[in-house]
């Protein structure tokens, strides 16, 4: 099973909105509402930002939001801040492997 | 404070074995499904294995099936990953993570495994 497809990088200015896509198949992203998103700074452990497509854990800023349409999930960061510069990974339950992660997207604040 | 602390990583030759541990604290370990996730140098995250709360059900990624074994000791709040027949491509940082449902809600800081001759 291949990794979910994410853009290699996205960038935006402070205050702008950026959206990261995560494309899978009917067997994973499209088959379940179990997409999660993780933020990772270099050399650090991942941190959960979104779960079950659009739910936000306590403590995660509300500028982070998630959605899904068909086989593609999306993470939107509204009001981009310098501290949002990091790598972001989507993850879906399902498919031939129990869980599959995305290829990862580097968010740059320019 | 919810915390996961991995240990047991190191340098091992191809074909060798290693046992990783993950000590949990701050939550009801015996009620939680647990995961191992790895990240090769400069690469993305890869789900490795999952174990249910009492250890009766385990799942593995195809790339490690038959070589790795996940287990747990609920009395000691500890998760394990026994890794046998290690390959160069198993070189990675290995994270243990707690399940919050169909996602990983708490992660450890990771332990580094290097497979090299």
């Amino acid at each position: 099973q291949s990794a979910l497809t994410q853009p290699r990088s996205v960038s935006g200015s402070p205050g702008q909105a950026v959206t990261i896509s995560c494309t899978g198949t009917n067997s994973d992203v499209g088959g379940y509402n179990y997409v999660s998103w993780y933020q990772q700074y270099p050399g650090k452990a991942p941190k959960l930002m979104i779960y079950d497509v659009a739910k936000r854990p306590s403590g995660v800023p509300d500028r982070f939001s998630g959605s899904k349409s068909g086989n593609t999930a999306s993470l939107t960061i509204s009001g981009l801040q310098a501290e949002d510069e990091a790598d972001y990974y989507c993850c879906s339950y399902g498919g031939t492997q129990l869980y599959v992660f995305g290829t990862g997207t580097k968010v740059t604040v320019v | 404070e919810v915390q996961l602390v991995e240990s047991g990583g190191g340098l091992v030759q191809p074909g060798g074995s290693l046992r990783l541990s993950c000590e949990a604290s701050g939550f009801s370990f015996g009620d939680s499904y647990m995961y191992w996730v790895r990240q090769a140098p400069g690469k993305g995250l890869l789900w490795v294995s999952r174990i249910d709360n009492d250890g009766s059900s385990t799942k593995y990624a195809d790339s490690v099936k038959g070589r790795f074994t996940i287990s747990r000791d609920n009395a000691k709040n500890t998760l394990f990953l026994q890794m046998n027949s290690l390959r160069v491509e198993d070189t990675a940082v290995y994270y243990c993570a707690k399940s919050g449902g169909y996602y990983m809600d708490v992660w450890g800081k990771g332990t580094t495994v290097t497979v090299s001759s």
Side-chain angles (χ1 to χ4, degrees):
Chain A
Q1 182 177 18
S2 299
L4 306 176
T5 301
Q6 297 181 231
R8 198 172 194 88
S9 64
V10 299
S11 62
S13 301
Q16 283 188 329
V18 296
T19 296
I20 303 167
S21 60
C22 169
T23 301
T25 69
N26 290 334
S27 297
D28 39 60
V29 175
Y32 304 90
N33 287 322
Y34 295 136
V35 176
S36 51
W37 290 89
Y38 303 88
Q39 177 191 63
Q40 187 180 36
Y41 293 113
K44 300 296 186 182
K47 174 188 174 183
L48 177 68
M49 302 302 283
I50 295 288
Y51 66 98
D52 294 353
V53 175
K55 297 177 182 177
R56 203 171 42 249
S58 172
V60 172
D62 60 6
R63 64 178 182 276
F64 290 88
S65 62
S67 62
K68 191 188 87 167
S69 177
N71 296 338
T72 298
S74 298
L75 174 72
T76 298
I77 310 174
S78 306
L80 196 63
Q81 297 187 8
E83 68 218 49
D84 300 332
E85 186 163 295
D87 294 326
Y88 292 83
Y89 294 90
C90 62
C91 180
S92 177
Y93 173 82
T96 56
Q97 306 294 279
L98 197 61
Y99 290 90
V100 58
F101 280 93
T103 49
T105 298
K106 182 175 179 59
V107 171
T108 302
V109 182
V110 298
Chain B
E1 179 193 6
V2 177
Q3 197 170 10
L4 297 169
V5 179
E6 302 93 335
S7 60
L11 175 63
V12 62
Q13 291 188 335
S17 298
L18 215 52
R19 189 194 199 201
L20 306 184
S21 299
C22 170
E23 191 168 335
S25 60
F27 65 98
S28 183
F29 180 74
D31 290 334
S32 300
Y33 284 36
M34 298 292 295
Y35 304 102
W36 287 100
V37 176
R38 74 184 185 187
Q39 186 171 34
K43 302 296 185 182
L45 300 170
L46 179 74
W47 170 77
V48 171
S49 184
R50 184 221 75 188
I51 188 168
D52 70 356
N53 61 306
D54 66 3
S56 61
S57 173
T58 58
K59 299 287 186 184
Y60 300 94
D62 287 346
S63 56
V64 306
K65 199 173 295 182
R67 301 187 299 123
F68 289 14
T69 302
I70 189 171
S71 62
R72 63 193 299 159
D73 184 339
N74 285 348
K76 295 183 178 179
N77 287 350
T78 304
L79 175 73
F80 302 101
L81 186 68
Q82 177 68 44
M83 305 186 296
N84 299 331
S85 303
L86 282 161
R87 305 168 179 167
V88 171
E89 54 265 34
D90 295 319
T91 294
V93 175
Y94 284 73
Y95 297 100
C96 72
K98 171 183 166 294
S99 174
Y102 293 92
Y103 53 93
M104 299 92 184
D105 64 350
V106 179
W107 295 66
K109 293 184 176 181
T111 187
T112 300
V113 173
T114 303
V115 185
S116 174
S117 54

